[in-house]
Amino acid sequence: MENHTTMKVSSLNCIDLANDDLNHSVVSLKQACLDCGFFYVINHGISEEFMDDVFEQSKKLFALPLEEKMKVLRNEKHRGYTPVLDELLDPKNQINGDHKEGYYIGIEVPKDDPHWDKPFYGPNPWPDADVLPGWRETMEKYHQEALRVSMAIARLLALALDLDVGYFDRTEMLGKPIATMRLLRYQGISDPSKGIYACGAHSDFGMMTLLATDGVMGLQICKDKNAVPQKWEYVPPIKGAFIVNLGDMLERWSNGFFKSTLHRVLGNGQERYSIPFFVEPNHDCLVECLPTCKSESELPKYPPIKCSTYLTQRYEETHANLSIYHQQT
């Protein structure tokens, strides 16, 4: 049983994107990536007023009647609305899916674009502009801004991996990335002893995730996934800061050098809103051991895999089959 009387809080490194001392930022980032793969990012250039507006618009979407939200149900390109219990991230410990609703928004690619047939590109379903005026414009602007911040972090990551600063900027990597934001609303009370979670324990699939949250506690990390029993620590939200974590793809790319860490969300009865922004390289990027992460004594641990193959596999493992919704209508 978990002990709820003491709340263990994690202390994470904080990366200041406005810091002129690049070396200090890189050292601090590298330490965070080796330790737990979670860190805060401040002075990223997105104003608090705009962030408040994005959260306000997110709340408006989730406040709509279910039938209105089902009009923009998640499609085969993983865009749109995901109902409560749609996602099951920790089948060993969860009795049913996550107690959260979500809305995926990816890079907008029109049908006449040559890249339209790629699994993670395509048009986004948008709520009717009469129902939510200005909603699409706000979300598209946020997507653009979050991608800009991600690129700045990727340059620091490259330096922390002893690569050239622009290593990940190339077209076959983040020059034409897969970048997907997800609006989330959590509700209810979690009870790990009964297998009920707002969001089950998991590590993220991709390269990195930028998380914007409201002020409600709920996110927990487990720095050592192999420990028995696992020790969970809360990550407190800091106003104006992103919580950034590395995903499994970067752990694989770095030959296990950088860490992708287990995390979960526990609900305390309060509504909690968050917006993760998932960053992955180009569909065709071959994720294989980075040149600085292997040596004669440190051989590659993972076989090369194409980014889109890997992601498709991971999405299918964790989301309900869309056909269940068509049976319900």
Side-chain angles (χ1 to χ4, degrees):
M1 276 288 287
E2 296 197 12
N3 180 6
H4 290 287
T5 51
T6 55
M7 187 190 275
K8 200 161 167 21
V9 173
S10 192
S11 89
L12 302 178
N13 284 7
C14 188
I15 310 302
D16 181 349
L17 290 185
N19 187 352
D20 293 333
D21 186 348
L22 188 62
N23 186 51
H24 177 269
S25 297
V26 171
V27 168
S28 180
L29 178 68
K30 187 171 188 170
Q31 185 193 14
C33 295
L34 294 171
D35 173 38
C36 67
F38 266 79
F39 49 93
Y40 295 108
V41 168
I42 58 169
N43 291 325
H44 41 68
I46 302 178
S47 74
E48 283 191 25
E49 294 74 31
F50 180 59
M51 283 308 313
D52 291 344
D53 188 28
V54 175
F55 275 98
E56 203 43 55
Q57 294 284 15
S58 173
K59 286 178 183 174
K60 283 181 182 170
L61 172 88
F62 291 119
L64 293 174
L66 183 61
E67 67 207 51
E68 198 64 47
K69 291 183 280 198
M70 290 304 271
K71 289 178 186 172
V72 282
L73 179 68
R74 169 171 68 87
N75 60 24
E76 67 290 344
K77 297 263 190 178
H78 301 287
R79 307 291 180 86
Y81 176 67
T82 55
V84 176
L85 309 184
D86 177 79
E87 191 171 16
L88 183 65
L89 289 163
D90 185 12
K92 280 219 301 270
N93 295 305
Q94 281 179 276
I95 54 165
N96 50 27
D98 289 352
H99 285 255
K100 66 173 193 262
E101 293 173 272
Y103 198 94
Y104 282 117
I105 300 167
I107 290 176
E108 184 78 17
V109 175
K111 279 197 171 175
D112 55 3
D113 189 288
H115 296 286
W116 187 82
D117 60 342
K118 300 247 163 88
F120 297 96
Y121 281 167
N124 291 294
W126 296 105
D128 193 318
D130 294 340
V131 178
L132 293 176
W135 197 88
R136 174 177 178 168
E137 291 72 15
T138 302
M139 296 307 163
E140 287 188 319
K141 183 183 172 195
Y142 179 71
H143 191 286
Q144 214 177 337
E145 287 290 294
L147 186 56
R148 174 187 59 73
V149 176
S150 306
M151 297 299 281
I153 298 167
R155 290 183 191 113
L156 292 176
L157 283 170
L159 293 172
L161 287 160
D162 296 322
L163 297 162
D164 176 65
V165 66
Y167 187 86
F168 294 118
D169 290 352
R170 294 179 288 177
T171 308
E172 68 272 22
M173 292 185 185
L174 295 180
K176 201 164 176 52
I178 298 169
T180 308
M181 62 188 269
R182 194 175 186 195
L183 309 174
L184 292 170
R185 172 168 75 167
Y186 295 97
Q187 291 175 302
I189 298 176
S190 300
D191 186 343
S193 67
K194 293 188 178 144
I196 298 168
Y197 295 88
C199 176
H202 66 287
S203 50
D204 290 348
F205 314 156
M207 181 178 174
M208 67 172 145
T209 306
L210 261 71
L211 180 71
T213 69
D214 60 10
V216 179
M217 282 278 251
L219 176 66
Q220 293 186 321
I221 63 173
C222 171
K223 289 184 178 176
D224 180 2
K225 53 189 160 204
N226 300 315
V228 182
Q230 289 177 335
K231 290 191 177 71
W232 290 92
E233 301 173 357
Y234 277 97
V235 176
I238 295 178
K239 184 79 176 146
F242 280 114
I243 298 166
V244 181
N245 66 283
L246 309 183
D248 297 342
M249 196 181 283
L250 191 57
E251 182 171 314
R252 187 181 179 121
W253 226 345
S254 69
N255 212 19
F257 184 57
F258 278 179
K259 297 284 176 278
S260 166
T261 291
L262 271 185
H263 50 286
R264 67 185 188 186
V265 176
L266 296 189
N268 62 4
Q270 258 180 301
E271 272 197 335
R272 178 177 177 270
Y273 292 84
S274 73
I275 307 171
F277 185 82
F278 303 105
V279 181
E280 285 103 24
N282 190 303
H283 278 79
D284 298 320
C285 178
L286 195 64
V287 178
E288 56 184 333
C289 185
L290 292 164
T292 52
C293 298
K294 58 185 174 186
S295 62
E296 282 177 22
S297 59
E298 198 62 56
L299 297 172
K301 297 181 177 74
Y302 309 94
I305 189 167
K306 203 165 87 159
C307 175
S308 58
T309 310
Y310 176 74
L311 287 178
T312 300
Q313 214 172 297
R314 295 292 302 268
Y315 268 89
E316 283 170 0
E317 285 165 6
T318 53
H319 286 77
N321 191 304
L322 278 172
S323 62
I324 67 161
Y325 300 116
H326 302 308
Q327 289 159 10
Q328 290 168 2
T329 51

